[in-house]
Structures are given as structure tokens and as C-alpha cells.
């Protein structure tokens, strides 16, 4: 069996760095085609697929007979991966050809088809196609299938064709490559749709009158939901507002000021008038910023009475909730202009509700959906009447545009041919293809053109300190998280405008993504559940649902009801159901499967079926890869594990798979850890698996533990020496640990029962702790003392007597460590010195007793205050000590050990520092090699003085 690169080594640092960077890339990114939840980074998927198919050099001892030869070849392959994962190279045909050649060589000229049975947002199939592989995507969810059709199935069918929009081809002297002609048509017919919509419904979007009398296009209208005050003596129509802020930009502050005024046309005799405040004086304070406060309810702006949440729910369920226009946001010269609401804009919004509004009920699941608790049970109720009218108009125009594309294609000389769903590739099919993209393009503005979308007034808190979001003073998407919340004040965007929430703006992001879809190999996207899809005999790479984290089908209904309206005639089979199918969706949803236990059983059984089917048709010459994103977090008598991990691993191992490697992929920033025990740093893990031989042996608990003790220490040390961050080590350790467990047909407990995956995970974690503890013997006496003291006290204070006993046992003394500034010993109390409190003037060459502990703490301070180059220069100086007291590998090893201690103790700030320095250590070491040697710098300085 030839081992593949993914089963031996990966350039994780480069993969994770580009995965993080990709989060900030929008222009041309496939994610802009349509919203999907928890997408894998393109960079990581591309790297994993390449490493899944390309042989590791150790598989070819004839060509690479020595470890050095294998290392050199492995580094060459890693260099290809490092270039492949860069966003700038996503269309680099020379590089892609080089990667494809390596795949062909390892696959003897016949690479396998790649199947993702949980295709979702399409990252894995798209990257398989980019690498020249036959990509197959399947998903039960029709929205996911539609996305995958747009990514991998439609573009190859119409590759290298010129556009058919009248005079467009003649207007540009160029060669139309890949999907460029298709993208040009989508853009042209999309503009026709926008212009046509302007003619039909432009009167619904009047301009705003600015101070001074000039008119300007409206960006958004800011509304508040309202209920009648429960105080009988008041009875005012009270606004429900999360925040009065409109703009928090310094020097341009703007906010809404509610004033209660007499109005005898209202039953209460008074109403709320919304005025505007500007500048820093009188701005809302945390106590006065809005009327709605968390779960308590809302406060009346007139009488200060509290309307509890129960009252708000009763009012909305009874149909007594209302809305009030608070302000209008207009487009000024390079800035937003805020004007007070007037009768013109109130009247423009009073549109009759369309009789054919979209149908469909919102899932009654409070974990993901809050609106039903307030009586908003239909998707149509998440939109204003004006929004429904506009979205209906655009949906109808998709089909009208399709007819125009068909006529223009026939006029250009194409035969009519079969429809797209019937396999056609002529005019009718091309018209369906353009319309498919036009329908998908509507989903972008859809998420910002509903009453769940709110106004982003600008950065606060952490966002303010880092410069804030790029999208401020704009309409927020409804899907800021993987749920649909209840919003009180909301922003109604001008769909016909030019702002970020408009149809026109959506196309600015959408079209570049379509242009990059240059699949030269045909792809297939099918609506099929994963159990059936896994029988195809392809090599699998997949990102399955994360137990109960995301309700994909329920969430995608929001888009499906509109996609079905605009594209049902084009994809009649795919969009045949009223809502997204849910009964067979492989998510542990207690609301759908009779509680938590029923959901768990459904999920486990489904996973076992998927991997059992995949095992029966697996190709033994290739591993499969599976992504997952669950951190081990559950602690019970048998040890630490996780329901998500346990279910995934159990389903795979019981189905006959053996785990050969696990690798952490991080697509979030390293300062994102919010608390000990959360899955905040390690985004996901990719596992490599192969079929377990049918004649695999059986062992008992003692045999398993012996095998783990024999193999795990070396494996963990290699992980530490590589690019694994400390926060990822427990996850990465699952690979070699479960690799041992899964090689056995059975592992028997002392009572004869079969050892569970949970129990095996607990044993792996125990040995991981043992290995980290045993590493203490590698360190000098001072460091061993400091580790033991840190484990007991952290950076808090302990007694001198305890410290003295601990120091004597490790052949050192408190007095010496006080002089060396490892700790402070004063008045019978002893405290370790934090990295931030170490002396900036420290001279590592002049220190007569430097320790690994001291070098690590100074490195942390320098890294956090001055960055990698300065930390590298410090390490270069430390390594030049004549006594050779500083070993960079031991410094990194210490960071791993201290991270493990800090995480278990819940010392989050410490854990972040230790994780960051370990994660950056490769860069620090590289910087140290580039730094001038101390004696060279000294000679340079001396010569200047001499001159």
C-alpha cells in the first residue's frame, strides 16, 4: 500500500495561514454566489485533495532510498502545496498544471473521481474540479445542489462561449475564456432586469430631501416595531428599539431622539415623534441606548413602564404589533446623510400586500429561529409589503430574462435544443443556465432586504479598537450568525439603489465569482442523500454536518421559497417540494426526532450507514478524507470526549475504517479563544481513513494501552516539532491514537465487552497528559521548578516555605531564582514573573544562569510587543551563548506544556500567549536565522565607534 502525502506530513503553517487570510477575501470568491453555512476554506480543500492523491516519497524507496532523499522530495511537494493555497494562484494555469501532473503521476495516469456526499456550499467539489479531477457533488438540500450546479456542472457545459446579449460580443475585441462569456451575459441581462424593475416599481422608492433642498437617493429606511404600552394610563404606541444610533463615526455622530408629542388622532392622545440628534453632545449612553433590554422586555419612552417579553409576544401573536418609520438614510457626497422621516416616505411604504406572496412556514425551533415566538410564522411575514412587491417583481423578471436569452441565442445562430435539466447544451439550456445565475444572484440582496436585517451604525468595543468592520453605516445581513433572530428596529434597503444591500451592488460581487468558474472537467451535482451517494465507488472527501450545530435545511428555506418562485420552471424536479426536504437530513435535531436521545440515535445510525456504504465500495489504494469541527469538551467518569467526535469516529470505525492521520485546519484568527474548553481556536480537523483489513486482529485494554504508550510519545513529539499549535494538539493526537485503536477489529474490556470510542478517546487523552508531564524531565532545574510552581499557583502568590521545598527538590534555590528574575520573593511570599513584566533590558548573553523558562518568557514579551523579527533577533542572540544553554525545540516544547496547564486551569489569557508563541515559533526560528550574529553586529558597531 502506497502511503499518501496526507498520511505523513503537510505544510500546515502555510495552509492555515492562507485559510485565515481567505476569510477576508470577497472579490471573486465563490462564497459570494450564495450564502452557505460553515464553508471549508478553498485553500485547505485544495491542499487536502492534492495530498490525498499524491504519493509520499516513502512509498517509493527505489527512487528515494534514504530519509534525506525522501525529505528533499517531500519538501518539493510541500512547496507546490504552499503555492497552490495562495489566493493569487487560484487561476494560475502553470501551477495547476504542475499539480495535476503530480496527481497523474501518483495515480498512474488515471486519477479517481472525487465525491462529496455532503456537498453543501461546494468547496470540495469545486477544488477537485480545479485540480483536473472529475467532481461529483450530492446533497439532499436543493439549495446546496443548485449552488453546486452553478459551481461545477453548468460552467463546463458552456465553456469558452461568447455572450449572446445583442452587440455585446462585437463591443469587446477579445477571446472569451472559461465562464467569461456566461458571466458577461449574466451581467447584461441582470442590468436589463434592474432597469425593467425601475420602470415598474421605481415609484415605490422616492428620493430623500436633504437639508438645503437637494434630493438624493435613499439607501435605507430605519423602522421600529411597535406595540401598545401595557400601562392603561399611557396606551401610547411604544417603539421597540435595540439602539438609537445611526452613525458612531467620530465627528459625524448621528442618532434618533424620541419625543412624545400630543396627537389627538391617536387613541392615547399622544404619539412618538422621531427627531435626529447630531454631534457628540447628548449622544445615547449605554443606559439610554434603545428601549429593548435583553430578555427583560421593553421600556415605554413615555411612562417608563416595562412591557415584559411575554406582553410583546402576546401582542405580535394577536396581530396588534405595528411599525413606525424613524429615519431615512440618504446617499451624500462620500458619506451617509440622515434625515427625519416625513409623510412622503411613510406613504411610499404603504403598499398593498401582494396576493401571491411566497409561501412556507418557518421552523418552530427556538434554538435557530426567534420570530415564530412573536407570531411571525410564515416566511412572507419577514418582509414588508414593499419588499414583497419588489422581490416578486425581480422573481418574475428572471423568467422574462430567460425568454430574452433564448431569443437572442437563437438569433445568434444556436439551435433551440433541449432544456438544461434534460442535458441540453444549446440555446434553451443556455437560457436556463443564465437564468439560474440570475435567480441565485437574488439571494445576496435577499438577506439584506427583510425585516430581520438591521442597521450597522459603526464599530463598538473590540471592533472600534481595531478600526471596525469594513461594512459600517450599512444594512446588516439577516445571517450574521447561523440563525434567524428577532429584530426590533430594522433597516429596509432601497433594492433599486446602489448601496451594499441593493440588487446592483450584489452583482458587483457576484459577477467576478462567475468569471472565475473555469472548470475544464465536467462536474455532476445531484440531489441525493449521503447514504445513497456513498455507494458510487468514488474517492470521498467530505465535510459532513456537525451533529446539531447548524440547521441547514431549516435555514435554507429562507432562500428556497424565493429560488423556487424564480427558478421552478427551469429546475422543476430539483425545486418540486414546497420547502427543503428535512426528514432524512443528517442533523441531530431534537425538535424533529422526539428529543435529544432520538436525535442522537438518528444521527448515529445515519452516519454508520454512510460510512458502511462507502466502505463496501472503497478503493484500497486511496484514503478518504473527512472534515469535522468538534472539540473534545464532555467530561464524564470514563474521561474527556465529545458527542460529536464520538459519533463520527464510532460511525467510521464500526463501518470498517482505520484512521491513518488527523490534521487541524484553522481558518480563524489565533486571538479568538474566548474561554477554556471552547472550540474557538481549532476550526476543524481533517481525518484520513483507509479500509481496515478484514483479518484485523483483536486485543484487550492492556494491549491497546501498551500500543498507545509505545507509539504516541514519538508521534506527539513530531507533532510538536511541526506546525501544530498547542490548542490543536489534543485534536491532532486523535490521529495517531485512534489510528492504533482503529487498526483492531475489536478492543475488549476486562469484562469482555467491546471498548467504546468514548473510552478509547479518554485513554488517548490520559496518555497525552502523561507524555506532556514526562517532558518536564527534559528541562533544566529552574524550568522544572517554575513548571511545578505554575501548575499550582499560575502567576499568583504562594508561600516561601512551599517554594523553598519545591526548589530544593529540583536542585535550585528561591534566592537564586529571585536574583535571576524568574520570580519575586518578598516578605515570605513568592510570585512568578509574568512575560509582560520581564525586563526589557535583559541581556541573554550576560545572564550566567539562563533557563528555558526565562527564554520563553522574554520571547513572549518581545513577540507580543515588537513582533516576529525582534523575537527572532532575541533567539539568535540566545542561541549564540557559548554554553549552548538555549535549545529552540525545548522552548517550543515548554510552550506546549504550559498551554496544556493553562487551558486545564481556565487561565485563558496565559493560554493565548503560550499558544501564540508556539504557533509563531517556526517564523521566529526562521527570523533568527536571518538575524545578524551577535559578534557581526558587535564588529559593525565597533567600526562605527572607531571611525
Amino acid at each position: 500500500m502506497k502511503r499518501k502525502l496526507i498520511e505523513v506530513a503537510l505544510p500546515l503553517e502555510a495552509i492555515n495561514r492562507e485559510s485565515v487570510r481567505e476569510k477576508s477575501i470577497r472579490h471573486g470568491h465563490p462564497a459570494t454566489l450564495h450564502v452557505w453555512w460553515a464553508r471549508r476554506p478553498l485553500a485547505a480543500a485544495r491542499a487536502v485533495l492534492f495530498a490525498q492523491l499524491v504519493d509520499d516519497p516513502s512509498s517509493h524507496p527505489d527512487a528515494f532510498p534514504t530519509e534525506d532523499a525522501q525529505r528533499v522530495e517531500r519538501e518539493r511537494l510541500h512547496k507546490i502545496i504552499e503555492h497552490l493555497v495562495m489566493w493569487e494562484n487560484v487561476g494560475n494555469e502553470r501551477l495547476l498544471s504542475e499539480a495535476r501532473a503530480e496527481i497523474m503521476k501518483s495515480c498512474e495516469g488515471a486519477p479517481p473521481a472525487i465525491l462529496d456526499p455532503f456537498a453543501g456550499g461546494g468547496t470540495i467539489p469545486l477544488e477537485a474540479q480545479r485540480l483536473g479531477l472529475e467532481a461529483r457533488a450530492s446533497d439532499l438540500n436543493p439549495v446546496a445542489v443548485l449552488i453546486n450546479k452553478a459551481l461545477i456542472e453548468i460552467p463546463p457545459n458552456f465553456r469558452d462561449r461568447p455572450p449572446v446579449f445583442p452587440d455585446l460580443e462585437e463591443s469587446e475585441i477579445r477571446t472569451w475564456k472559461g465562464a467569461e462569456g456566461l458571466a458577461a451575459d449574466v451581467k447584461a441581462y441582470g442590468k436589463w432586469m434592474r432597469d425593467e424593475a425601475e420602470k415598474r416599481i421605481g415609484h415605490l422608492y422616492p428620493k430623500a430631501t436633504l437639508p438645503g433642498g437637494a434630493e438624493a437617493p435613499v439607501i435605507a429606511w430605519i423602522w421600529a416595531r411597535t406595540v401598545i404600552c401595557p400601562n392603561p394610563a399611557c396606551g401610547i404606541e411604544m417603539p421597540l428599539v435595540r439602539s438609537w444610533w445611526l452613525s458612531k463615526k467620530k465627528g459625524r455622530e448621528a442618532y434618533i431622539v424620541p419625543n412624545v408629542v400630543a396627537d389627538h388622532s391617536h387613541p392615547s392622545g399622544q404619539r412618538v415623534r422621531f427627531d435626529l440628534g447630531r454631534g457628540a453632545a447628548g449622544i445615547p449612553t449605554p443606559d439610554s441606548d434603545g428601549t429593548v433590554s435583553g430578555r427583560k422586555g421593553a421600556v415605554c419612552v413615555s411612562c417608563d413602564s416595562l412591557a415584559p417579553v411575554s406582553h410583546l409576544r402576546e401582542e405580535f401573536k394577536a396581530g396588534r404589533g405595528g411599525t413606525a418609520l424613524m429615519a431615512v438614510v440618504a446617499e451624500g457626497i462620500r458619506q451617509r446623510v440622515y434625515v427625519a422621516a416625513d409623510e412622503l416616505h411613510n406613504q411610499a411604504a404603504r403598499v398593498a400586500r401582494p396576493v401571491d406572496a411566497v409561501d412556507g412556514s418557518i421552523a418552530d425551533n427556538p434554538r435557530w429561529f426567534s420570530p415564530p415566538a412573536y407570531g411571525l410564522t410564515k416566511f412572507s411575514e419577514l418582509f414588508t409589503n414593499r419588499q414583497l412587491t419588489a422581490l416578486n417583481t425581480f422573481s418574475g423578471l428572471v423568467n422574462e430574462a430567460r425568454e430574452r436569452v433564448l431569443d437572442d441565442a437563437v438569433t445568434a445562430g444556436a439551435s433551440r435544443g433541449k432544456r438544461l435539466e434534460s442535458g441540453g447544451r444549446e440555446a434553451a439550456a443556455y437560457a436556463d443556465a443564465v437564468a439560474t445565475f440570475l435567480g441565485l444572484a437574488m439571494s445576496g440582496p435577499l438577506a439584506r432586504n427583510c425585516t430581520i436585517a438591521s442597521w450597522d451604525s459603526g464599530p463598538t468595543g473590540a471592533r472600534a479598537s481595531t478600526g471596525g468592520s469594513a461594512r459600517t453605516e450599512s444594512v446588516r445581513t439577516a445571517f450574521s450568525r447561523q440563525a434567524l433572530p428577532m429584530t426590533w428596529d430594522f433597516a429596509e434597503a432601497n433594492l433599486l439603489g446602489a448601496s451594499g444591500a441593493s440588487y446592483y451592488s450584489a452583482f458587483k460581487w457576484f459577477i467576478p465569482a462567475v468569471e472565475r468558474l473555469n472548470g475544464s472537467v465536467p462536474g455532476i451535482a445531484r440531489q441525493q442523500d449521503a447514504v445513497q451517494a456513498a455507494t458510487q465507488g468514488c474517492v470521498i472527501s467530505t465535510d459532513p454536518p456537525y451533529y446539531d450545530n447548524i440547521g441547514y435545511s431549516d435555514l435554507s428555506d429562507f432562500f428556497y421559497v424565493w429560488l423556487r418562485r424564480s427558478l421552478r420552471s427551469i429546475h422543476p424536479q430539483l425545486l418540486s417540494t414546497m420547502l427543503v426536504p428535512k426528514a432524512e437530513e443528517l442533523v441531530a435535531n431534537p425538535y424533529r426526532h422526539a428529543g435529544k436521545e432520538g436525535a442522537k440515535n438518528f444521527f448515529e445510525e445515519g452516519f454508520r450507514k454512510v460510512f458502511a456504504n462507502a466502505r463496501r465500495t472503497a478503493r484500497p489504494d486511496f484514503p478518504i478524507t473527512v472534515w469535522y469541527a468538534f472539540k473534545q469538551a464532555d467530561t464524564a467518569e470514563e474521561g474527556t470526549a465529545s458527542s460529536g467526535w464520538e459519533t463520527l469516529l464510532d460511525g467510521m470505525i464500526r463501518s470498517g475504517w482505520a484512521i491513518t492521520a488527523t490534521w487541524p485546519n484553522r481558518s480563524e484568527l489565533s486571538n479568538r479563544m474566548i474561554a477554556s474548553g471552547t472550540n474557538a481556536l481549532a476550526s476543524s480537523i481533517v481525518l484520513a481513513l483507509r479500509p481496515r483489513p478484514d483479518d484485523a486482529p483483536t486485543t484487550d485494554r492492556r494491549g491497546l494501552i501498551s500500543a498507545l504508550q509505545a507509539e504516541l510519545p514519538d508521534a506527539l513529539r513530531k507533532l510538536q516539532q511541526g506546525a501544530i499549535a498547542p490548542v490543536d494538539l489534543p485534536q491532532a493526537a486523535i490521529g495517531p491514537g485512534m489510528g492504533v485503536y482503529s487498526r483492531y477489529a475489536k478492543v475488549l474490556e476486562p469484562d469482555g465487552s467491546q471498548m467504546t470510542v468514548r473510552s478509547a478517546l479518554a485513554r488517548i487523552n490520559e496518555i497525552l497528559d502523561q507524555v506532556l508531564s514526562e517532558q518536564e524531565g527534559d528541562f533544566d532545574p529552574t524550568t522544572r521548578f517554575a513548571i511545578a510552581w505554575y501548575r499550582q499557583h499560575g502567576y499568583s502568590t504562594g508561600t516561601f516555605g512551599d517554594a523553598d521545598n519545591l526548589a530544593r527538590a529540583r536542585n535550585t534555590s528561591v534566592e537564586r531564582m529571585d536574583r535571576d528574575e524568574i520570580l519575586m520573593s518578598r516578605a515570605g511570599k513568592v510570585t512568578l514573573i509574568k512575560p509582560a513584566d520581564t525586563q526589557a533590558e535583559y541581556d541573554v548573553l550576560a545572564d550566567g544562569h539562563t533557563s528555558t523558562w526565562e527564554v520563553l518568557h522574554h520571547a513572549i514579551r518581545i513577540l507580543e510587543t515588537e513582533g516576529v523579527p525582534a523575537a527572532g533577533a532575541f533567539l539568535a542572540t540566545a542561541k549564540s551563548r557559548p554554553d549552548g544553554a538555549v535549545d529552540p525545540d525545548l522552548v517550543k516544547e515548554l510552550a506546549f506544556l504550559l498551554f496544556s496547564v493553562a487551558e486545564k486551569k481556565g487561565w485563558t489569557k496565559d493560554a493565548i500567549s503560550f499558544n501564540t508563541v508556539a504557533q509563531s515559533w517556526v517564523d521566529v526560528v526562521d527570523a533568527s536565522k536571518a538575524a545578524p550574529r551577535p559578534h557581526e553586529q558587535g564588529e559593525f558597531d565597533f567600526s562605527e565607534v572607531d571611525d
Side-chain angles (χ1 to χ4, degrees):
M1 179 185 73
K2 294 179 181 178
R3 290 201 300 173
K4 297 298 180 178
L5 198 58
I6 197 169
E7 298 173 298
V8 179
L10 290 178
L12 273 183
E13 191 70 21
I15 295 170
N16 286 340
R17 181 176 61 247
E18 290 301 314
S19 295
V20 171
R21 179 168 167 249
E22 192 181 305
K23 299 282 283 190
S24 61
I25 293 171
R26 301 295 294 163
H27 186 79
H29 198 285
T32 58
L33 287 181
H34 200 284
V35 172
W36 195 258
W37 300 270
R39 290 174 183 263
R40 290 298 102 226
L42 301 175
R46 200 176 313 132
V48 165
L49 285 163
F50 178 85
Q52 184 178 355
L53 299 181
V54 172
D55 295 341
D56 183 75
S58 62
S59 296
H60 298 278
D62 293 340
F64 309 104
T66 66
E67 287 190 7
D68 282 345
Q70 293 171 13
R71 176 183 54 78
V72 171
E73 173 64 6
R74 196 174 291 124
E75 287 175 355
R76 184 186 72 83
L77 294 172
H78 283 187
K79 282 295 181 185
I80 295 176
I81 293 176
E82 289 170 9
H83 288 105
L84 269 180
V85 296
M86 296 177 64
W87 171 255
E88 292 79 6
N89 290 333
V90 74
N92 186 330
E93 280 302 319
R94 183 198 59 78
L95 177 62
L96 289 172
S97 295
E98 184 181 2
R100 291 164 188 158
E102 293 293 341
I103 292 172
M104 293 293 283
K105 183 169 65 175
S106 291
C107 299
E108 298 179 352
I114 299 295
L115 166 68
D116 184 353
F118 299 99
T123 294
I124 294 171
L126 177 64
E127 293 309 315
Q129 189 178 67
R130 199 189 308 277
L131 290 172
L133 305 167
E134 180 186 332
R136 300 185 187 181
S138 68
D139 204 295
L140 188 64
N141 192 316
V143 177
V145 177
L146 203 58
I147 294 171
N148 279 273
K149 282 183 177 293
L151 289 174
I152 68 167
E153 188 174 282
I154 293 175
N157 290 340
F158 305 102
R159 180 179 170 84
D160 299 337
R161 295 193 189 184
V164 301
F165 191 84
D167 302 324
L168 182 56
E169 182 184 7
E170 293 77 11
S171 67
E172 298 186 37
I173 308 302
R174 54 173 295 183
T175 300
W176 300 91
K177 295 181 179 179
E180 291 174 349
L182 174 63
D185 270 337
V186 173
K187 182 178 181 180
Y189 289 101
K191 183 180 185 302
W192 172 83
M193 285 175 57
R194 193 260 173 226
D195 293 344
E196 193 65 24
E198 175 77 39
K199 297 175 186 176
R200 301 181 188 186
I201 57 172
H203 62 282
L204 301 181
Y205 297 94
K207 292 185 175 182
T209 302
L210 306 183
E215 289 189 332
V218 171
I219 293 172
W221 293 268
I222 311 300
W223 295 84
R225 300 187 198 271
T226 63
V227 295
I228 301 300
C229 176
N231 179 3
C234 177
I236 197 171
E237 187 179 6
M238 56 182 284
L240 307 175
V241 179
R242 172 190 53 83
S243 175
W244 298 116
W245 280 103
L246 295 170
S247 172
K248 293 182 180 178
K249 288 189 176 178
K250 190 173 182 180
R252 297 221 313 265
E253 295 89 352
Y255 44 90
I256 297 165
V257 180
N259 289 302
V260 179
V261 298
D263 189 334
H264 297 295
S265 66
H266 286 69
S268 66
Q270 56 184 356
R271 65 178 175 86
V272 179
R273 185 185 69 210
F274 300 100
D275 299 320
L276 297 183
R278 305 180 194 278
I283 61 177
T285 66
D287 293 333
S288 65
D289 188 15
T291 63
V292 180
S293 176
R295 298 179 180 276
K296 295 180 180 178
V299 175
C300 178
V301 296
S302 176
C303 67
D304 291 332
S305 295
L306 176 68
V309 171
S310 58
H311 176 76
L312 303 183
R313 288 176 174 171
E314 289 171 5
E315 290 296 289
F316 279 105
K317 285 182 177 179
R320 293 190 290 268
T323 56
L325 182 60
M326 297 192 294
V328 180
V329 187
E331 191 172 330
I333 300 175
R334 302 181 67 180
Q335 66 176 355
R336 309 301 195 217
V337 179
Y338 300 94
V339 297
D342 59 23
E343 189 57 25
L344 169 67
H345 290 280
N346 268 300
Q347 287 291 343
R350 291 171 186 163
V351 180
R353 192 171 191 79
V355 294
D356 58 343
V358 289
D359 206 349
S361 297
I362 304 171
D364 188 13
N365 182 340
R367 178 178 177 184
W368 294 318
F369 302 95
S370 299
Y374 297 87
L376 305 178
T377 60
K378 304 289 185 183
F379 282 105
S380 59
E381 294 168 343
L382 301 181
F383 302 88
T384 67
N385 289 357
R386 176 163 51 186
Q387 286 172 333
L388 288 173
T389 300
L391 293 169
N392 270 5
T393 300
F394 274 99
S395 295
L397 284 169
V398 169
N399 286 281
E400 291 184 37
R402 191 255 168 203
E403 294 305 313
R404 293 181 69 91
V405 177
L406 176 59
D407 291 343
D408 293 338
V410 171
T411 300
S415 60
R416 192 178 186 89
K418 296 186 293 185
R419 299 292 296 265
L420 186 65
E421 269 207 357
S422 300
R425 296 195 178 187
E426 299 301 325
Y430 184 71
D432 289 343
V434 173
T436 297
F437 281 101
L438 292 173
L440 285 169
M442 279 304 302
S443 288
L446 183 64
R448 287 187 168 86
N449 281 272
C450 62
T451 61
I452 305 301
S454 57
W455 184 250
D456 185 351
S457 58
T460 58
R463 276 176 48 197
S465 66
T466 58
S469 166
R471 190 184 291 275
T472 58
E473 287 190 274
S474 61
V475 181
R476 288 190 188 94
T477 176
F479 291 96
S480 57
R481 59 190 183 92
Q482 294 152 358
L484 274 178
M486 181 64 177
T487 53
W488 302 111
D489 51 296
F490 62 89
E492 182 184 12
N494 180 355
L495 192 59
L496 298 180
S499 69
S502 69
Y503 179 81
Y504 170 80
S505 178
F507 264 74
K508 289 194 297 184
W509 299 103
F510 189 86
I511 296 301
V514 180
E515 288 175 338
R516 288 174 176 260
L517 300 176
N518 293 327
S520 57
V521 180
I524 300 172
R526 292 176 178 167
Q527 185 181 24
Q528 193 174 35
D529 70 65
V531 175
Q532 293 175 307
T535 63
Q536 296 182 34
C538 303
V539 171
I540 289 176
S541 184
T542 190
D543 180 22
Y546 300 156
Y547 199 67
D548 62 346
N549 274 13
I550 302 170
Y552 298 94
S553 62
D554 290 327
L555 289 170
S556 53
D557 275 339
F558 176 86
F559 298 103
Y560 179 80
V561 294
W562 288 103
L563 288 168
R564 186 172 187 268
R565 164 156 296 211
S566 59
L567 298 177
R568 188 184 177 192
S569 64
I570 296 162
H571 300 278
Q573 295 180 356
L574 182 62
L575 305 177
S576 61
T577 57
M578 292 295 293
L579 293 172
V580 172
K582 299 177 178 64
E584 299 303 317
E585 182 189 31
L586 205 50
V587 173
N589 187 340
Y591 293 90
R592 188 166 294 133
H593 298 289
K596 188 175 181 180
E597 191 61 29
K600 181 176 181 290
N601 293 336
F602 171 80
F603 189 78
E604 290 177 351
E605 182 182 358
F607 252 75
R608 277 195 291 270
K609 287 180 180 178
V610 171
F611 287 104
N613 282 352
R615 172 67 178 82
R616 281 194 288 271
T617 59
R619 292 186 56 166
D621 46 342
F622 296 99
I624 68 169
T625 52
V626 181
W627 300 79
Y628 216 64
F630 258 98
K631 187 168 185 179
Q632 301 180 65
D634 301 341
T635 301
E637 291 182 4
E638 62 268 35
T640 300
S642 153
S643 296
W645 269 117
E646 181 186 355
T647 299
L648 177 77
L649 295 170
D650 184 73
M652 294 187 295
I653 293 169
R654 288 186 178 231
S655 301
W657 293 95
I659 297 166
T660 58
T662 60
W663 301 101
N665 172 234
R666 191 178 308 103
S667 59
E668 306 298 340
L669 298 177
S670 60
N671 60 357
R672 186 174 160 265
M673 186 166 67
I674 51 178
S676 175
T678 65
N679 186 30
L681 280 179
S683 285
S684 59
I685 299 292
V686 60
L687 304 96
L689 306 100
R690 287 196 186 249
R692 185 172 60 244
D694 295 331
D695 58 351
T698 297
T699 191
D700 57 15
R701 176 192 277 247
R702 184 185 298 273
L704 174 68
I705 292 176
S706 296
L708 290 172
Q709 290 173 334
E711 298 181 36
L712 267 190
D714 183 58
L716 294 176
R717 190 175 295 274
K718 287 180 179 177
L719 288 172
Q720 287 176 318
Q721 291 170 351
I724 298 288
V727 71
D728 296 328
L729 187 62
Q731 297 280 37
I734 291 173
M738 292 306 295
V740 173
Y741 173 80
S742 63
R743 76 170 61 133
Y744 297 106
K746 288 182 182 179
V747 178
L748 300 178
E749 296 281 15
D751 62 1
S753 63
Q754 186 170 343
M755 179 181 284
T756 64
V757 167
R758 176 173 287 258
S759 179
L761 287 170
R763 304 294 80 76
I764 294 167
N765 284 324
E766 289 171 0
I767 293 175
L768 173 61
D769 289 340
Q770 290 175 15
V771 171
L772 292 175
S773 297
E774 289 168 0
Q775 288 177 352
E776 291 184 35
D778 298 339
F779 300 112
D780 56 87
T782 297
T783 300
R784 292 202 304 273
F785 164 85
I787 292 168
W789 189 259
Y790 181 79
R791 187 177 279 113
Q792 294 179 30
H793 302 284
Y795 294 110
S796 298
T797 300
T799 64
F800 175 85
D802 290 343
D804 186 54
N805 290 335
L806 201 60
R808 290 176 186 275
R810 284 158 178 77
N811 197 28
T812 186
S813 70
V814 173
E815 292 81 3
R816 174 178 165 176
M817 290 185 287
D818 189 12
R819 289 193 304 272
D820 290 344
E821 298 182 337
I822 303 295
L823 51 76
M824 287 193 303
S825 177
R826 305 288 185 274
K829 300 294 183 183
V830 173
T831 309
L832 287 172
I833 295 174
K834 298 178 181 179
D837 297 333
T838 57
Q839 292 297 320
E841 298 80 15
Y842 174 68
D843 185 347
V844 68
L845 293 179
D847 188 345
H849 305 100
T850 195
S851 63
T852 302
W853 178 276
E854 206 166 359
V855 172
L856 173 64
H857 279 57
H858 283 287
I860 291 173
R861 172 182 55 78
I862 296 169
L863 182 66
E864 292 181 346
T865 58
E866 301 178 52
V868 168
F874 168 73
L875 180 60
T877 303
K879 287 191 299 183
S880 70
R881 285 176 58 96
D883 60 2
V886 177
D887 182 343
D889 289 340
L890 282 179
V891 178
K892 184 178 182 181
E893 193 173 292
L894 178 59
F896 270 88
L897 175 59
L898 293 179
F899 171 83
S900 177
V901 174
E903 188 186 39
K904 286 182 172 61
K905 296 286 189 179
W907 300 331
T908 303
K909 188 175 180 181
D910 293 354
I912 290 174
S913 291
F914 296 135
N915 185 72
T916 301
V917 73
Q919 190 178 342
S920 306
W921 199 243
V922 172
D923 293 332
V924 173
V925 171
D926 288 345
S928 74
K929 296 173 183 176
R933 288 183 296 175
H935 72 273
E936 292 176 339
Q937 185 66 45
E939 290 170 0
F940 175 77
D941 293 341
F942 179 79
S943 66
E944 285 202 324
V945 173
D946 200 35
D947 287 343

